[in-house]
Amino acid sequence: MVQITLIQPSGASLQLDVPEGWSLMQAAVKNGIDGIVAECGGSCVCATCHVYVQQERFAELPPPGEDELELLDEVKAERRPNSRLSCQIKAAPELNGLIVTIPEYQT
Ligand code: FES
């Protein structure tokens, strides 16, 4: 299991134990986390699973693919340098303890 902390726009945080290989989106949806809409179910076409990754650890993530980069232009909340789509972030041991913040809105 990989421990990931999700922070809501309100500041409330929740720590999830995410099975290795699951996306952060899958874990958030499975746990009923508000703010991760994931309309496309992880097919990388909806941009409603946007998150802000902890700045200090952003470079530890595998880089986004072309599809994700293009789709990040479609996110509804502000796109920031640490924006990623949570369906494209797979839980891996090296990400243990990662903190991601959910934007104010997704649609
Ligand atoms: S769930 Fe649709 S792009 Fe991530």
Side-chain angles (χ1 to χ4, degrees), residues 4 7 11-13 15-16 18 25 27 48 50 66-67 79 86 92:
I4 305 286
I7 300 179
S13 70
Q15 194 170 294
L16 298 182
V18 184
M25 176 281 283
T48 61
H50 180 203
E66 279 301 312
D67 287 356
R79 180 181 177 177
S86 59

Side-chain angles (χ1 to χ4, degrees), residues 25 36-50 71 85-88:
M25 176 281 283
I36 299 291
V37 179
E39 277 171 0
C40 77
S43 303
C44 201
V45 293
C46 74
T48 61
C49 63
H50 180 203
L71 203 51
L85 297 178
S86 59
C87 69
Q88 301 301 305

Side-chain angles (χ1 to χ4, degrees), residues 15 21-22 24 31 34 49-50 65 73-74 82-83 89 94 99 103:
Q15 194 170 294
W22 279 37
L24 301 197
N31 285 278
D34 284 341
C49 63
H50 180 203
D73 287 337
E74 310 293 324
N82 59 338
S83 286
I89 303 173
E94 56 270 26
I99 301 169

Side-chain angles (χ1 to χ4, degrees), residues 51-102:
V51 292
Y52 302 118
V53 174
Q54 179 184 10
Q55 192 72 55
E56 312 83 66
R57 298 193 61 190
F58 186 75
E60 296 174 27
L61 272 63
E66 279 301 312
D67 287 356
E68 183 181 354
L69 276 177
E70 279 178 27
L71 203 51
L72 281 166
D73 287 337
E74 310 293 324
V75 295
K76 297 295 187 247
E78 178 192 5
R79 180 181 177 177
R80 299 178 187 162
N82 59 338
S83 286
R84 291 292 303 262
L85 297 178
S86 59
C87 69
Q88 301 301 305
I89 303 173
K90 301 278 189 255
E94 56 270 26
L95 297 184
N96 196 45
L98 186 74
I99 301 169
V100 302
T101 301
I102 298 172

